[in-house]
Structures are given as structure tokens and as C-alpha cells.
Amino acid sequence: MEPVIRADHITIRFGDFTAVRDVSLSVGRGEIFGFLGPNGSGKTTLIKALCGLTPIASGTGSILGLDVRRNAAAIKRRIGYMSQKFGLYEDLTVAENMDFYGGVYGLTNAALSSRKDELIALTSLGPYLDRRAHRLSGGWKQRLALACALIHSPQVVFLDEPTAGIDPVARRSLWDLLFTLSGQGVTFFVTTHYMDEAERCSRAGYIYLSRLIAIGSIEELQRMPEANPPGTTRLALHLENSSEALALIRRLPYILESTIFGRSVHVLIDQAATTRLHADLTASGVHATVEPAEVSLEDVFVTLTNRIAREDTPTKEAK
Amino acid sequence: MTGGPFSGLLPVCRKEFVHLSRDRTTVFFALAIPVLQLVMFGFAIDTNVRQVPTIVLDSSRTQESRRLLEAFANSDVFQLRYFGASESDLYEAIRAGQAKVAIRIPPDYASLLQQGRLATVQVLADGSDSTITSHAVSTANGVVLQEAMHRLLGLNARPPIEVRPAVLYNPGLRSPNFFVPGLIAIMLQMMVIMLVSFSVVRERERGTLDQLWLTPVSPLGLMVGKIIPYGLLAFFELTIVLVLMRVLFQVPVHGSVPLLYLLAFAFILTVLGMGLLISTRAETQAEAFQMAVGTLLPSVFLSGYIFLIENMPIPFQGISRLIPATYFIAIVRGIVLRGATLAELWPQAAVLTAMGLLSIFLASRAFVRTRG
Ligand SMILES: Nc1ncnc2c1ncn2[C@@H]1O[C@H](COP(=O)(O)OP(=O)(O)O)[C@@H](O)[C@H]1O
Ligand SMILES: [Mg+2]
């Protein structure tokens, strides 16, 4: 079956600068695809290119089988998009914002009013309909932005950092909404910084320095050989004073990676050295309980970016 | 509804009206500032020189000297307000700004006249206001010359030649008549450029523009949707100003009002395009404001609004031909003051129409380009 979103070796350039380099991915119907990566890595640029706005230098892309270069107008009518900054008119009321986007997508009055009722029920925006958007809290603004992006019942929705800067409760209820909708067959392409959100996605990709360096289901990513080098294992060290101990742990030669999680430190360690670790910790007076750790998505992405950083440095020096 | 080159026009237009109705302060200032300027300029900038405060030192104190001073007073240019006791009083009064002109009649004025010898009258003028100075000096020359004629020909004789100036189209040389039509152009330009460029740049700043480009709204739909409300506002403003001009300054429109509105359409189209062009360049409202002011300065100084184009150095005359306000000011003055018709105004009308079309064309091209 034709994927809903397909990118095939897409490269996007702004002058000399390559914002997206050779990215391929595909997203199936009803999936929630998480697109991760640090700021400036090219997430927004890829979304705009997939919607036919930013020209593609090479490669091809399609949405719902429509070529992004040739059918930009048709694509725009079928997709929903929620921009990084929400794209709401602050001086318009909740209802007026929805009416405006409904008008933009050419909905008839009857279609608009029944669709508005559905979305109001879905997002619980009912009590706020006459409130100006600037008087809504972050969480409600985001619900309104989502309602606007869904006003024309799109089958594909791009959400660009929908949860940046909103509280955890609002974040969770947004994700509940996304699950409800994906259950109805809507496909989501969501960019985010939050690893916990990525882990809720059915599949995820990680873009770093314009390149897609990992893609797959969460389990596939966790099992990636690059993230789990042979002869290594991951451990969680539960410590009394984790930040002091971290400095010590990082000096140990067989610790390949270490990340702090509250009172514990997750390490990637040479498998052969696990017994030495116990000895070294006791010798330094650090009290720790050690247990095997699940590899998290964050671990995977940290390992991958570190590898790239290590690989990149010598080539840069060689130039 | 969606699709086509003007997709999204109606919803954008409707939304823009709601913005306007919500942002009452902006609309109020956009409309009120021009009116305020009109009233201030109309009353304050009176370039006619009348009743110039004048200090007099009459050391002659004779019938002859009083006759001369009366002639000065009758000219309506001089207001003989202060009387000095010594020559230093004259300089002092001018330095202090109490008087702009000083007239000194020497003690031997009457006796020299009676002996048929040359009598001198000294006129001092404050050079810091050149309009007043030159006008006062030439009037003084005229007054004295006339007095000299009377002396030569006998007091009751009439001079052989008399000038009878008749100023057409602006009788009485009232300056509101001259300034108000120019003010209309400048105000419309400022208001339209600011409001339009701000309304687009605000969308860029808030991120709604990014959002719009991923909806079926087309560049032309957005552009025209924004043009319509601000264009209508401009016509509303034009009407207010014309009514005020009529009521407050009694400047009647001698020519055809529909023609004025028709040609105003070309001008408003031009400035709308300029505002849109600015909006494609400016990232922030502050930048847009600077650019708008940048367009305003040449329009104020080189359009014939304040300085006559004919008196400008040739290169500046060339620049003034590139300024839309130049043509619109000529048109407004023509229609309002002289009752000119399209038969006389067609060259300006043609240039302005071309400028309007060009401006909108360039703006739409820039709009399509910057959308990424
Ligand atoms: N229109 C543009 N012209 C030039 N450079 C751009 C443009 N848009 C984005 N970029 C650059 O491309 C890179 C990726 O940007 P973006 O896709 O917004 O990153 P992200 O969304 O992942 O934070 C950034 O370095 C940004 O400066
Ligand atoms: Mg981004």
C-alpha cells in the first residue's frame, strides 16, 4: 500500500547551506510518526518541503500519493498543519479563529458548523468560544491550534513542536487527543524535543545536522546495533549524590557514556568491566546500587550523535 | 472556493475587518493624526506675510515722517507695535525677537525733503526668517517708492503706472488652499503604507504567515484580502479630509469630485503596493516603520508639497518625477483649486495609473517569492 507520507532521498538547500541532506522516510496510515532532532537540524524545513512550500533540490516526496513538486495546491487542501508558533490570531476569539480557517479551506457554512461542533466536543473548547485567543493559557491555545488544523478533516496532520512550552498535563491531554484521532485513521507527523513523547509514537526518526541518522519503531531503535555496541551493556547506578559521583564515574576508562537521571546515572559500559566498576566505586567511597538498565530512546540518540561527532572531528581536521 | 489565484481572499478580507474593529486605537490614530495635522498645518502654516511686528524710531517727529509711517501701517504687512528711544533699542528688539523689522527715520528727514535733497529711511530686517524678510523688504521698498513718487509729482497726483495684480485660482493667496491638497497625498501615503505593512509584518512576527502559506491561501488572495480593507479606509480618510477642508478652511472643490476619487484610486493603489513591498522586506514592525518613514521624506520634500519643483536643482527635479505623490499632489491641486479636468490632467493621471499597476505587480511578485 502506498504510504501516506513518503520522502525519497530528499535534499533541501538554502544557497550553499544544506538544511536537509538525503532524507528518506515513509509513514503509513494512522501512524503517529515522531520526528526528533535538535534546534536547527532541519525539521521544520522538511515539513515545509513535504507540504510543497520549500523547493526540493533533489529527491522526491509525496503525500497521499500526490507528488509534492507537482501537486502542492492539492496537498495543501488535504493536510493539516500546526506551526511552531501555533498560528492563531490573538485578537480573534476562539470561534472566529476556527471560522477563519474554515473559510480558508473553503468549507460551506453548514459543513463548518457541524465540523466545529465535533472539534469543540473533542477539544472541550466549548466554554471558551467567545474568548479572545490571547486570553487562553498555553494548553488551551494549543488545543485551539489543533482544532484549527483539523477544521477541514485532513487525513494527514503535521504538528511542528506542538508541546513546546506547555505544562505536562496539557501535553498529556494533547497526546490523548492524537491517539484518539489516529485511531480514526488520521496520520500524524509530529516534531518534538521530548523523548517521552517520542516513545509514545508508533515510529520515530532522528535528524541531526541535516541528516536522518535513525528511523524505525521504538523497539527497532532501541535494538539498533550502533546504539548497543557488541561487548557493552547498559547499567543504572542509583546513587546518594549523583552529581558528585558523575565526575568520578566519567573518569573511569571503561565507561563509554554516562547520562544523569535525577538520582541515578545511566552508563554504557564495557561488559567485561562490570565487576571492576563495583570495586572502583567502593574504593572511591561511592555507595551505589547497580542494576541492568533498559536502553532508552535518549540513550540511542546520545550514542548516535556522539558517534557522528567522533567521526566528524578527524575529517574536519583533515581539511 | 479554494484554489485559483485568489484563494482565501474573502476569509482574509473578513478577518482583516475584524482586526480593524478590534484595534480601535490604531484605527483612531491612523484617522485622527492626519486630521490633527490638517488642522495644525492649515492654521499654523500661513505663509502670507501680514502684520509683521515692527519697531519704529522716529527721530524726525514731523508731519512728513508720520505720513510715511502711516503708509507703512496701511500696507498691512507691518504692524507698528514698538517705539524705540535710541538706535540700540532697534537692534535689541530684533535680537529679543519682539520685532522682525525696524524702521528708523533720521532727525533731518523732513528738512532734507523740503530742501529737495536725498533723505534716507533705514529699514532693518531679521534675516532668520527669509520668507518674512524678503517680503518685508520688498514691501518697504514699494511703500517708500510710492511715497517718493508722491513727493515728486505732488501729493494729490496719481502715479502714471499702476500694477493691478490678480491672482487666479487661489485668490487672496490663502495658504491652506495650497497646503491642504498636498497634505491629502502625504497623509494617505503615510497611513496606507504603515497600516498595510504592519498588518503583514505582524503576521510574520506572530507566525501566522508561516501557517497561512501551508493552507490553500494563495499569495494573491492574501494580498488582495489585505488591500481591500485598507484601501476602503483610505477612501474614508480622503472623504473626512475633503469635508474638513471645505468646512474648516472654506476651500471648495472646483473640479469634479468623482474624477478626484478615480485618480485617488490610482494613488492609493500605488501606496498599497509600496506598503506590501515593504512588508516583504521587513522582518519586524520597527523595520517596516523605518522604511515607511524612508518613503515619506522624499515625498514631503521633493513632491512639490512644500518646495516648488520648478525651483529645485535639476537632479532633484528628476527625482521628484519618480515620486508618486508628485503626480497626485498636482492632480489634487488641479482639481480642487483650478477645477481642472481629465483633459488637462491626463499626463499625471497616466503616470499615476502606470505607477499603481507597476507597484501592485511588483508587490505580488515579491509576495509569491518570499513565501518560502
Ligand atoms: N528560508 C531559509 N533560508 C535560509 N536558511 C534557512 C531557511 N529556513 C531555515 N533555514 C536554516 O535551515 C536550518 C534548519 O532550520 P529548521 O528546519 O527551522 O530547523 P528545526 O525546525 O529543526 O529547528 C537552520 O539552520 C535554519 O537557519
Ligand atoms: Mg523548527
Side-chain angles (χ1 to χ4, degrees):
Chain A
M1 201 177 94
E2 173 76 6
V4 172
I5 302 171
R6 187 181 56 78
D8 204 8
H9 300 288
I10 286 184
T11 295
I12 300 159
R13 294 202 185 92
F14 296 114
D16 292 341
F17 175 70
T18 304
V20 171
R21 189 187 296 274
D22 195 24
V23 168
S24 299
L25 54 83
S26 70
V27 182
R29 186 176 135 86
E31 261 194 80
I32 301 182
F33 182 79
F35 197 46
L36 287 92
N39 272 334
S41 51
K43 303 184 295 293
T44 303
T45 305
L46 181 67
I47 291 184
K48 286 186 176 174
L50 286 173
C51 302
L53 194 62
T54 305
I56 296 173
S58 65
T60 57
S62 69
I63 303 285
L64 298 162
L66 296 161
D67 185 278
V68 302
R69 287 187 219 241
R70 283 196 298 270
N71 300 310
I75 288 175
K76 279 187 204 159
R77 282 198 294 276
R78 286 172 178 76
I79 59 160
Y81 171 73
M82 181 171 144
S83 87
Q84 250 162 300
K85 293 185 187 163
F86 290 168
L88 297 173
Y89 292 96
E90 305 263 317
D91 56 336
L92 300 192
T93 64
V94 169
E96 285 166 343
N97 268 288
M98 291 169 82
D99 290 343
F100 170 68
Y101 282 107
V104 158
Y105 286 101
L107 268 58
T108 62
N109 283 343
L112 177 61
S113 91
S114 76
R115 180 62 180 161
K116 255 164 65 184
D117 290 343
E118 284 171 35
L119 289 171
I120 290 163
L122 185 75
T123 55
S124 319
L125 274 166
Y128 303 108
L129 286 181
D130 291 324
R131 190 177 282 200
R132 307 254 173 106
H134 72 89
R135 292 190 52 233
L136 295 175
S137 71
W140 286 106
K141 269 188 194 168
Q142 174 214 48
R143 283 175 182 229
L144 173 58
L146 183 67
C148 291
L150 293 170
I151 197 85
H152 55 303
S153 317
Q155 294 148 277
V156 192
V157 182
F158 290 88
L159 305 176
D160 199 357
E161 293 186 29
T163 53
I166 63 163
D167 65 88
V169 180
R171 271 175 59 195
R172 177 159 305 184
S173 58
L174 180 87
W175 276 90
D176 290 343
L177 276 176
L178 299 192
F179 285 124
T180 311
L181 292 160
S182 81
Q184 296 165 11
V186 181
T187 308
F188 286 97
F189 188 103
V190 186
T191 75
T192 176
H193 285 302
Y194 297 104
M195 293 297 161
D196 60 320
E197 291 185 351
E199 286 173 2
R200 293 166 184 238
C201 297
S202 33
R203 285 169 69 246
Y206 189 77
I207 185 168
Y208 180 68
L209 295 177
S210 317
R211 268 178 289 203
L212 187 67
I213 58 174
I215 182 168
S217 71
I218 305 310
E219 295 74 30
E220 283 165 357
L221 289 170
Q222 283 167 339
R223 284 199 302 269
M224 274 180 77
E226 292 92 335
N228 304 284
T232 66
T233 185
R234 287 186 189 268
L235 298 176
L237 317 181
H238 303 289
L239 303 157
E240 268 154 28
N241 187 337
S242 50
S243 51
E244 256 176 45
L246 186 67
L248 175 89
I249 291 167
R250 284 195 168 150
R251 277 201 300 274
L252 300 171
Y254 45 82
I255 298 286
L256 304 173
E257 246 164 46
S258 52
T259 321
I260 199 159
F261 283 94
R263 308 196 83 189
S264 49
V265 175
H266 286 205
V267 296
L268 179 68
I269 182 175
D270 195 335
Q271 215 160 18
T274 40
T275 41
R276 248 179 87 192
L277 175 68
H278 280 282
D280 284 342
L281 287 179
T282 324
S284 320
V286 174
H287 299 282
T289 39
V290 179
E291 57 181 31
E294 271 277 295
V295 54
S296 68
L297 264 193
E298 182 161 336
D299 292 329
V300 175
F301 296 144
V302 167
T303 311
L304 288 173
T305 47
N306 283 343
R307 267 175 58 116
I308 288 183
R310 275 198 299 273
E311 284 165 11
D312 271 4
T313 334
T315 54
K316 266 181 197 152
E317 279 165 1
K319 273 180 193 169
Chain B
M1 258 313 285
T2 67
F6 293 102
S7 175
L9 194 161
L10 276 181
V12 169
C13 188
R14 208 177 312 135
K15 162 186 86 74
E16 222 56 44
F17 276 115
V18 180
H19 287 320
L20 281 175
S21 74
R22 297 278 151 84
D23 195 359
R24 299 242 172 93
T25 23
T26 302
V27 175
F28 174 77
F29 280 110
L31 293 178
I33 286 179
V35 168
L36 220 68
Q37 282 181 339
L38 177 69
V39 173
M40 273 180 356
F41 276 37
F43 283 126
I45 302 185
D46 190 343
T47 51
N48 295 334
V49 180
R50 286 187 300 113
Q51 299 289 320
V52 177
T54 304
I55 181 165
V56 175
L57 174 60
D58 179 5
S59 307
S60 172
R61 294 172 191 281
T62 52
Q63 208 188 332
E64 285 79 2
S65 68
R66 275 192 296 277
R67 205 186 120 88
L68 181 65
L69 289 176
E70 216 165 283
F72 270 101
N74 287 342
S75 72
D76 197 36
V77 170
F78 303 96
Q79 186 191 32
L80 308 185
R81 200 190 283 180
Y82 307 97
F83 294 89
S86 69
E87 199 174 338
S88 65
D89 282 357
L90 304 184
Y91 289 97
E92 195 43 52
I94 289 181
R95 189 169 21 249
Q98 293 169 314
K100 296 239 180 264
V101 176
I103 301 170
R104 192 177 78 92
I105 303 180
D108 52 1
Y109 175 73
S111 56
L112 287 173
L113 277 183
Q114 272 148 21
Q115 292 162 28
R117 289 169 59 196
L118 181 68
T120 50
V121 174
Q122 195 180 9
V123 174
L124 305 170
D126 176 3
S128 56
D129 189 329
S130 61
T131 324
I132 293 183
T133 313
S134 59
H135 202 85
V137 169
S138 63
T139 310
N141 274 328
V143 167
V144 173
L145 192 67
Q146 192 149 25
E147 182 63 15
M149 296 288 279
H150 283 303
R151 292 271 158 211
L152 288 174
L153 300 169
L155 291 186
N156 294 319
R158 288 194 43 178
I161 307 174
E162 195 181 83
V163 183
R164 288 254 173 98
V167 179
L168 300 177
Y169 308 123
N170 188 2
L173 287 172
R174 287 187 308 123
S175 58
N177 297 27
F178 187 70
F179 271 99
V180 171
L183 197 60
I184 291 177
I186 300 295
M187 287 181 319
L188 281 181
Q189 173 168 346
M190 195 62 187
M191 183 188 86
V192 168
I193 291 185
M194 293 239 180
L195 289 183
V196 169
S197 61
F198 282 12
S199 98
V200 178
V201 173
R202 203 178 304 129
E203 296 222 21
R204 178 168 299 126
E205 282 180 336
R206 303 227 173 118
T208 48
L209 201 58
D210 265 350
Q211 176 84 42
L212 281 188
W213 292 144
L214 286 183
T215 68
V217 169
S218 69
L220 285 182
L222 179 68
M223 211 179 88
V224 180
K226 286 201 181 268
I227 282 179
I228 292 172
Y230 295 105
L232 285 177
L233 200 64
F235 275 108
F236 181 59
E237 175 75 5
L238 175 66
T239 311
I240 295 181
V241 174
L242 285 177
V243 169
L244 274 181
M245 183 173 82
R246 179 82 191 84
V247 173
L248 219 50
F249 301 112
Q250 272 98 47
V251 180
V253 179
H254 283 297
S256 145
V257 174
L259 180 65
L260 183 60
Y261 273 71
L262 188 71
L263 295 179
F265 181 69
F267 180 67
I268 289 170
L269 215 56
T270 314
V271 288
L272 280 168
M274 286 163 68
L276 290 167
L277 274 173
I278 285 177
S279 76
T280 60
R281 298 282 148 82
E283 287 295 322
T284 62
Q285 293 185 59
E287 265 176 57
F289 181 77
Q290 285 170 354
M291 294 187 206
V293 171
T295 70
L296 194 68
L297 292 181
S299 306
V300 167
F301 293 112
L302 301 180
S303 63
Y305 168 46
I306 295 183
F307 305 118
L308 281 180
I309 294 174
E310 292 77 10
N311 296 348
M312 289 177 197
I314 298 292
F316 286 104
Q317 291 194 17
I319 298 174
S320 84
R321 283 200 195 94
L322 301 175
I323 297 173
T326 304
Y327 300 93
F328 189 54
I329 289 176
I331 288 171
V332 179
R333 280 191 186 140
I335 296 178
V336 171
L337 300 181
R338 302 196 305 271
T341 61
L342 201 53
E344 295 98 25
L345 292 174
W346 69 265
Q348 285 94 337
V351 175
L352 203 55
T353 307
M355 282 182 163
L357 295 176
L358 182 71
S359 161
I360 289 296
F361 170 73
L362 291 178
S364 51
R365 220 180 45 163
F367 242 67
V368 175
R369 282 215 185 130
T370 55
R371 177 180 64 162

